[in-house]
């Protein structure tokens, strides 16, 4: 991971930057949730200075209204991929250092909290708290489209779980099978079509809210949001700010999750497709993510786990947690550009590990940690792993498995 550090100076912005590329070749830029993972890993390594600089760089281009994009292009002028163009606003700014117009799961308060707890730097806390707070204000003001407290995503790529199988239905990809080729596949055209349509609307959220092709309330994204709000409450107390607004938001998130996402029939928290609040009946690991919310009724948590966690046709793979239930037609464990449709990913194990431990499910939490440890031992630091054979796939020297350091 330390070999992936990128340091530099942006003359245009008059700023130094420092970030870690998730993998040097395929992923050379700065990403939002990746940076939060890196900060947590660096905090565990005792690399406080590097962690501080990474988080500061993530917020360096934050807009006046608090927005921070999911990708930060520090010096790349020409796009690497088509989506680098369609995921940013159509302005000439895209030819200078800039951010994308998308967001990624809100982990910034969690990263800042871990970093502060490890290094105790109050001055840095004060500096970054103000920024993370503005980012949260932006989220609450701009992405709670329906006033129910839940955040909506406007592109599959905003969840960080790019081709997550539950998005097949909102995208209109009824075949459901994971295609083998990228550019010629219908799934690719549908997802890229969403970004293109948003691009043509200049990422004006008021219009996307009305006319957008993809409006999803993701159970994982919103559970992460609730945990981040909880960290905001703790950080607010530390800096002498008012924690109540964050507590109130968190309460609403859980309440709306119970009414809109929880499906007693399938005993799961399902992603919801708007307009119409249609629950998407496709099981991915994010059905478990709301267990991370402290106030969730323990009997519901237990029911979800009993029904889905230990089932060998669903998520109890030899090396869990597969990114879609194994019975799903999309389930594919090999190398593919259509990621997040079968393999095991480090952040899922890490996030659920903490959720389960806090609730006292130590054995199941231990299974997730053991699986990730074995995967790294057998296949190294890879982007994702086959949950059946343990084989590593995707990018090499990929940073995320370092989250194991935060699974003690
Ligand atoms: C892939 C992942 C996304 C991540 C990015 C950089 O697109 O799906 O979550 O942020 O790569 O690592």
């Amino acid at each position: 991971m330390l070999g992936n550090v990128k340091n530099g100076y942006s003359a245009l912005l008059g700023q130094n930057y420092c970030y870690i590329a998730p993998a040097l070749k395929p992923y050379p830029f700065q990403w939002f949730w990746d940076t939060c993972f890196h900060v947590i890993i660096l905090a565990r390594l005792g690399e406080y200075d590097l962690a501080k600089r990474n988080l500061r760089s993530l917020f360096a281009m934050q807009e006046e209204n608090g927005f921070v994009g999911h990708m930060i292009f520090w010096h790349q002028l020409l796009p690497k991929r088509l989506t680098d163009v369609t995921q940013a606003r159509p302005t000439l700014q895209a030819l200078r250092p800039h951010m994308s117009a998308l967001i990624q799961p809100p982990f910034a308060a969690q990263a800042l909290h871990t970093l502060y707890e490890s290094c105790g730097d109050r001055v840095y806390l004060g500096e970054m708290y103000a920024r993370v707070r503005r980012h949260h204000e932006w989220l609450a003001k701009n992405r709670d489209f329906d006033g129910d407290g839940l955040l909506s995503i406007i592109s599959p790529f905003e969840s960080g779980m790019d081709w997550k199988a539950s998005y097949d239905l909102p995208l209109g990809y009824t075949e459901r099978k994971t295609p083998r080729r990228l550019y010629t596949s219908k799934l690719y055209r549908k997802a890229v079509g969403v970004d293109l349509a948003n691009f043509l609307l200049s990422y004006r959220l008021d219009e996307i809210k009305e006319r957008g092709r993809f409006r999803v309330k993701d159970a994982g994204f919103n559970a992460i949001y609730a945990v981040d709000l909880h960290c905001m409450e703790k950080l607010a107390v530390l800096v002498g700010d008012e924690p109540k607004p964050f507590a109130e938001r968190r309460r609403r998130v859980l309440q709306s999750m119970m009414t809109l996402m929880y499906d007693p029939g399938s005993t799961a928290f399902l992603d919801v497709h708007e307009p119409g609040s249609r629950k998407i009946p496709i099981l991915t690991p994010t059905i478990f993510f709301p267990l991370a919310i402290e106030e969730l009724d323990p009997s519901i948590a237990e029911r979800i786990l009993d029904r889905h966690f230990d089932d060998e046709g669903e998520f109890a793979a030899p090396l869990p947690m597969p990114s879609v239930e194994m019975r799903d037609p999309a389930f594919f464990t090999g190398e593919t550009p259509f990621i997040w449709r079968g393999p095991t990913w480090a952040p899922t194990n890490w996030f659920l590990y903490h959720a389960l431990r806090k609730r006292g499910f130590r054995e199941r939490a231990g299974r997730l940690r053991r699986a990730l440890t074995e995967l790294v031992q057998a296949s190294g630091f890879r982007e994702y792993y086959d949950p059946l054979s343990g084989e590593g796939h995707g990018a090499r020297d990929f940073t995320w498995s370092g989250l194991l350091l935060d699974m003690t």
Side-chain angles (χ1 to χ4, degrees), residues 258-270 279 300 303-304 307-308:
M258 286 309 300
T259 26
L260 293 178
M261 292 177 172
Y262 186 63
D263 183 48
S266 50
T267 328
F269 284 95
L270 300 176
K279 294 191 185 88
I300 292 186
R303 251 179 279 156
I304 299 176
R307 173 137 179 215
H308 301 290

Side-chain angles (χ1 to χ4, degrees), residues 182-225:
L182 188 65
Y183 299 113
T184 51
S185 83
K186 193 167 162 194
L187 179 55
Y188 178 80
R189 283 201 304 279
K190 296 264 183 197
V192 170
V194 166
D195 287 345
L196 182 63
N198 290 337
F199 175 80
L200 295 174
L201 291 172
S202 294
Y203 281 94
R204 281 189 303 270
L205 291 170
D206 46 345
E207 289 193 41
I208 293 175
K209 181 176 152 185
E210 299 308 325
R211 296 161 49 194
R213 294 189 191 182
F214 183 93
R215 263 232 282 135
V216 166
K217 289 172 181 147
D218 183 284
F221 195 100
N222 280 284
I224 293 165
Y225 177 47

Side-chain angles (χ1 to χ4, degrees), residues 10 12-13 60-61 63 67 71-79 84-85 88-101 199:
S10 163
L12 265 169
L13 297 179
M61 291 190 215
E63 289 173 5
F67 173 77
M71 282 175 81
I72 319 281
F73 299 92
W74 278 103
H75 49 195
Q76 180 87 3
L77 298 188
L78 296 174
D84 295 348
V85 177
R89 291 197 190 94
T91 65
L92 286 178
Q93 186 65 32
L95 296 174
R96 306 171 48 154
H98 70 284
M99 300 186 290
S100 72
F199 175 80

Side-chain angles (χ1 to χ4, degrees), residues 109-110 113 226-236:
Q110 295 163 73
H113 187 250
V227 175
D228 222 52
L229 286 168
H230 204 169
C231 283
M232 283 305 287
E233 289 168 54
K234 295 181 199 158
L235 294 173

Side-chain angles (χ1 to χ4, degrees), residues 311-332:
D311 183 333
E312 289 178 4
E314 292 191 12
F315 295 102
L319 294 153
M321 154 86 47
S323 38
V324 65
E325 75 159 309
M326 289 181 281
R327 286 194 198 103
D328 192 276
F331 180 70
F332 176 71

Side-chain angles (χ1 to χ4, degrees), residues 75-312:
H75 49 195
Q76 180 87 3
L77 298 188
L78 296 174
K80 202 170 146 73
R81 294 184 284 210
L82 171 67
T83 48
D84 295 348
V85 177
T86 56
Q87 293 179 353
R89 291 197 190 94
T91 65
L92 286 178
Q93 186 65 32
L95 296 174
R96 306 171 48 154
H98 70 284
M99 300 186 290
S100 72
L102 303 188
I103 55 174
Q104 254 186 348
F107 269 111
Q110 295 163 73
L112 180 59
H113 187 250
T114 304
L115 179 55
Y116 174 72
E117 293 265 279
S118 326
C119 76
D121 183 340
R122 289 194 87 90
V123 176
Y124 184 81
L125 173 66
E127 171 196 333
M128 290 310 297
Y129 173 79
R131 290 183 165 263
V132 179
R133 184 184 200 282
R134 272 169 47 213
H135 157 68
H136 266 275
E137 295 311 321
W138 185 91
L139 289 172
K141 196 163 160 213
N142 294 277
R143 285 306 186 90
D144 177 5
F145 283 165
D146 303 304
D148 52 21
L150 297 173
L151 304 182
S152 292
I153 55 172
I154 58 168
S155 158
F157 304 103
E158 289 201 313
S159 71
M161 303 182 183
D162 303 6
W163 304 97
K164 190 182 181 192
S166 55
Y167 304 152
D168 289 2
L169 300 186
L171 287 173
Y173 178 63
T174 44
E175 288 87 330
R176 302 287 339 280
K177 277 217 165 312
T178 295
R180 294 295 178 267
R181 283 173 205 284
L182 188 65
Y183 299 113
T184 51
S185 83
K186 193 167 162 194
L187 179 55
Y188 178 80
R189 283 201 304 279
K190 296 264 183 197
V192 170
V194 166
D195 287 345
L196 182 63
N198 290 337
F199 175 80
L200 295 174
L201 291 172
S202 294
Y203 281 94
R204 281 189 303 270
L205 291 170
D206 46 345
E207 289 193 41
I208 293 175
K209 181 176 152 185
E210 299 308 325
R211 296 161 49 194
R213 294 189 191 182
F214 183 93
R215 263 232 282 135
V216 166
K217 289 172 181 147
D218 183 284
F221 195 100
N222 280 284
I224 293 165
Y225 177 47
V227 175
D228 222 52
L229 286 168
H230 204 169
C231 283
M232 283 305 287
E233 289 168 54
K234 295 181 199 158
L235 294 173
V237 172
L238 284 167
V239 301
D241 194 14
E242 183 53 76
K244 276 206 198 103
F246 305 112
E248 174 54 18
R249 276 178 214 161
R250 185 160 63 92
R251 196 188 59 71
R252 305 253 350 261
V253 171
L254 181 57
Q255 191 184 40
S256 295
M257 275 182 155
M258 286 309 300
T259 26
L260 293 178
M261 292 177 172
Y262 186 63
D263 183 48
S266 50
T267 328
F269 284 95
L270 300 176
D271 294 341
V272 168
H273 181 201
E274 299 287 359
S277 300
R278 284 161 286 172
K279 294 191 185 88
I280 307 170
I282 292 175
L283 303 182
T284 71
T286 58
I287 65 166
F288 303 111
F289 274 42
L291 270 68
I293 307 174
E294 212 172 275
E295 288 77 8
L296 175 74
D297 180 342
S299 69
I300 292 186
E302 207 154 330
R303 251 179 279 156
I304 299 176
L305 289 173
D306 284 348
R307 173 137 179 215
H308 301 290
F309 196 91
D310 309 320
D311 183 333
E312 289 178 4

